[in-house]
Amino acid sequence: MTGLAVTLLVLALAAYLIAAYRLANQRSLSLPQGIALLKLRLLLRLQLPDDAILREPTGNETGPVIHLYSRQSGLDAAVLWSVLDRNCLHLLTDDDRNAFSLFGFRLFARTAGISDANALTEALASGASVTVPFPPDIEPATATLARYETLAALAREHGAPFRALHVGGSVFSLWSARPAAEAPRALLPWLRLAVSPALDLADPAPPENGATGPRDEDRIHDLLALARFGSNDLDRGLFLAFRDAADRYGNAGPVLEDALGGKLTYKRLLIGARALGARFEKMSAPGEALGVLLPNANAVMVTFLAIQSAGRVAAMLNYTAGPAAILSALSTAQIRTVLASRAFIEKADLQGVVEAIEKAGCTIVWLEELRESIGALEKARAFAGWRRPLRPVRASDPAVILFTSGSEGTPKGVVLSHRNIHANAAQAEARIDISVRDKLFNVLPVFHSFGLTGGAILPLLYGVRLFFYPSPLHYRIIPAVAREIKPSIMFGTDTFLSGYARTAKDTDFASLRLIVAGAEAVRAETRRIYQERFGARIIEGFGMTETSPVAAVNSGSHFKDGTVGRLLPGMKLRLEPVEGINEGGRLFVAGPNTMLGYMLSAEPGVLKPLEDGWHDSGDIVAVDDNGFIAIRGRAKRFAKIAGEMISLGAVEIMVQKLWPEDVHAAVAVEDRRKGERIVLVTTRMPALREELRDYSRRFGATDLMVPGEIVNVPEIPVLGSGKTDYVTAQKIADQWVSAHRAGRKVE
């Protein structure tokens, strides 16, 4: 080594030490901590929360704080040591105590074994803070929950608040706690540290937040989930979020597949999006809504990301809703251009819809023709620039317009931002255990928020392989497809799941480990069939288009029958009293996944933002002490009979338990004597009112819950999303009552 090289090396080392010294002084750290922190920033681009957040008051400024973290890798302990108080005691797993890579950390840090209860107690008693690692599993095991309780007792004894931390990205390091098959390795992964607010168990849970119940172990679990959620970078557009996913999972091969046999890797998906996006950019203005009239196929994701790359808004059109609803959507969102596929239009027999769109003055762009016209130079540009969107966007910008189902009235345009959708995917990932080992079978249409966020964006952002199937109505074909592709996860609604079970062989869904159901209540019979025949557990969630869509979900470790689970991390709720409802109230929700606002047909193209960030769900719910949410019914789906409020949803639940193999819808019609009366529309044949009355008494229902009329139909009308079409069910009931009321006395 020459003298010049030695001099340069000494100068570089001196500059490094000076920078580390300054960093240590800025953050009140020791010099070894400063050296380590600077190294993590330079090599692994460690992103830290604002120092004010990391050091914010815990309510116990002179006492200890218990720092909790899910240990994703051996890097976690080093990261936490480099930013926390120099006197903090770090409990280490056996792997970390023996790891050569952490020798320097152990040399300077105050450490003890994870099972050293005496060291933990002594540190807290002396006023020193501690860090405590937990397994990386999203779903805590019974032993982990027991450790939460033990730690909670110590926290109460020493007056120590909790704070959860999460080192995002460390799971992909060479020292990952996960198998390589679940977490692809990277030599220098990017790290992002998230810190939760402080939790003092002496303080009661916030009364408006049903996601954190009074049980200590639940509050600790929620705190860790909140830190995990916070480690996601939500301050970027969806195109860049997909690019980040490509960096993490892109070497795993094809990640997207459809029923046409097409397969796409992340890179091919993004290259295609850049190529199409350049054309979309030329035919529209920044921020303009482009209509998407496509089925579940690879092309819909390429198109969706192309729109995001171009800085436009994807307006997902419900092709099952009919021409009138689509024209209403076009007008409401001021859509001038609709992106469609000739092959799809012909196969789905949607020529009438196309004619209506063209008569309305909208331009239809046929993607087959557009794709064929893209030249070699355009493809080369897309290949060279696939890592960057064509137009930068802010996370708060609109990304998607989805239209409410109209199951109870006129559809509205729900405007969701990039952050809304990304946040909801991250919230779900913090509660549901998924990995690159999984394959998700999505039959739910992407014009529905559950099918778009849950069935398409969530899996692709987290490395889960995705198989698109074009229609959920193919009850005989879908089980056979499942047998062929062997998915481990499936999303669905009760209506669709029960239909598949009727035609499926016992081995068709044998590969499934998890089914997430939403959009409507899951019947006990459906849950039983999938558990007994296929060994698959159905977990029920709850949401709405306005929350992107998931708001609450059950999980393997936190499950309560008869509920839709607990709020997702980062969300809060409040209940407002409703006249005639003694238990529960009208649900309002807020959180990072709550929409920007509505577009209404009365004021086309105008965004009506939420007031104070709270959304009125229109649901009547009850929340128990542990945060489990039970849906009592829609506010619009209560009948006022003789002055009492009767939930039509509760009536459906009662009838479903009596006749579990049939499908039912309860609606209300006008009654001259009692105000309203209940009409049951059912596929049960025969459905005897006397049998229902006798069962209601055993069920514990009041006489007012017994339907006054029963209407038999061959099938209950449903929307394209799988929800019961109550508008049509109401028309059926009204027509039946009108036809049968004349000439006889109605009870």
Side-chain angles (χ1 to χ4, degrees), residues 92-161:
L92 302 180
T93 64
D94 290 341
D95 287 343
D96 288 347
R97 294 189 74 187
N98 298 322
F100 176 76
S101 58
L102 294 178
F103 175 77
F105 155 64
R106 295 195 302 272
L107 189 63
F108 293 102
R110 183 182 175 192
T111 66
I114 192 172
S115 58
D116 193 339
N118 290 333
L120 172 60
T121 303
E122 289 173 4
L124 293 175
S126 69
S129 297
V130 298
T131 66
V132 183
F134 287 94
D137 307 306
I138 291 173
E139 295 277 10
T142 303
T144 301
L145 291 172
R147 283 186 61 207
Y148 291 165
E149 291 187 75
T150 301
L151 205 57
L154 279 173
R156 291 183 185 279
E157 180 183 348
H158 297 282

Side-chain angles (χ1 to χ4, degrees), residues 233-427:
D233 185 1
L234 304 181
D235 292 325
R236 57 209 292 111
L238 286 174
F239 188 93
L240 286 177
F242 271 77
R243 196 278 313 278
D244 293 343
D247 290 341
R248 296 189 188 103
Y249 311 107
N251 293 328
V255 71
L256 181 60
E257 187 177 356
D258 63 18
L260 298 175
K263 296 183 180 182
L264 292 177
T265 62
Y266 280 106
K267 187 173 181 179
R268 288 189 62 192
L269 173 63
L270 293 172
I271 291 172
R274 273 283 304 225
L276 273 183
R279 291 298 187 92
F280 297 162
E281 195 175 31
K282 293 177 181 178
M283 67 177 67
S284 58
E288 181 179 338
L290 299 177
V292 179
L293 193 68
L294 295 170
N296 281 16
N298 293 350
V300 78
M301 281 310 299
V302 176
T303 302
F304 177 84
L305 283 176
I307 293 172
Q308 306 310 322
S309 176
R312 275 54 174 172
V313 181
M316 314 302 289
L317 300 177
N318 180 354
Y319 47 80
T320 69
I326 289 180
L327 292 181
S328 174
L330 296 178
S331 172
T332 298
Q334 294 288 274
I335 298 168
R336 299 184 298 116
T337 305
V338 174
L339 310 171
S341 159
R342 286 193 186 276
F344 168 62
I345 295 299
E346 292 173 4
K347 193 165 186 177
D349 194 21
L350 295 175
Q351 288 85 356
V353 170
V354 169
E355 291 174 6
I357 291 173
E358 291 177 330
K359 284 182 181 179
C362 291
T363 300
I364 295 183
V365 174
W366 302 107
L367 292 179
E368 295 97 335
E369 297 171 8
L370 186 65
R371 187 168 56 244
E372 290 295 325
S373 69
I374 295 175
L377 182 58
E378 290 175 290
K379 292 178 181 179
R381 288 173 179 167
F383 181 83
W386 72 272
R387 295 183 58 80
R388 299 182 306 277
L390 290 158
R391 186 179 183 88
V393 297
R394 294 170 299 181
S396 58
D397 288 342
V400 179
I401 301 174
L402 294 164
F403 297 91
T404 58
S405 62
S407 58
E408 298 167 5
T410 304
K412 299 184 286 285
V414 176
V415 183
L416 302 174
S417 69
H418 293 261
R419 180 180 286 111
N420 289 155
I421 297 172
H422 192 179
N424 199 226
Q427 289 168 316

Side-chain angles (χ1 to χ4, degrees), residues 688-701:
L688 303 178
R689 190 165 182 269
E690 292 74 18
E691 184 181 357
L692 183 53
R693 187 192 298 276
D694 291 342
Y695 179 76
S696 71
R697 291 166 181 163
R698 301 195 303 273
F699 184 76

Side-chain angles (χ1 to χ4, degrees), residues 550-698:
V550 187
V553 70
N554 277 296
S555 65
S557 61
H558 289 79
F559 175 86
K560 184 176 181 181
D561 195 19
T563 76
V564 292
R566 304 161 70 242
L567 279 185
L568 293 179
M571 293 201 72
K572 54 185 177 179
L573 64 78
R574 75 170 191 259
L575 300 182
E576 292 194 355
V578 177
E579 180 185 0
I581 304 296
N582 297 322
E583 182 185 2
R586 191 178 184 116
L587 175 68
F588 288 74
V589 293
N593 55 317
T594 305
M595 68 174 179
L596 294 178
Y598 284 122
M599 282 187 179
L600 306 176
S601 58
E603 297 183 67
V606 178
L607 175 64
K608 296 290 186 181
L610 288 175
E611 294 184 11
D612 304 324
W614 287 91
H615 169 62
D616 176 5
S617 72
D619 290 294
I620 307 300
V621 310
V623 183
D624 72 10
D625 290 339
N626 295 311
F628 286 96
I629 301 171
I631 307 297
R632 298 294 185 234
R634 295 284 294 167
K636 294 180 180 179
R637 298 204 65 245
F638 275 75
K640 195 167 187 178
I641 303 175
E644 291 193 32
M645 299 293 287
I646 304 298
S647 167
L648 297 175
V651 172
E652 290 174 352
I653 291 172
M654 177 184 71
V655 177
Q656 198 66 61
K657 289 189 175 181
L658 172 61
W659 299 316
E661 296 181 359
D662 299 284
V663 186
H664 321 278
V667 297
V669 298
E670 183 181 355
D671 184 273
R672 294 176 183 173
R673 291 190 300 114
K674 296 181 179 180
E676 288 184 305
R677 65 192 288 110
I678 299 171
V679 176
L680 178 68
V681 182
T682 177
T683 60
R684 176 74 176 181
M685 185 73 74
L688 303 178
R689 190 165 182 269
E690 292 74 18
E691 184 181 357
L692 183 53
R693 187 192 298 276
D694 291 342
Y695 179 76
S696 71
R697 291 166 181 163
R698 301 195 303 273

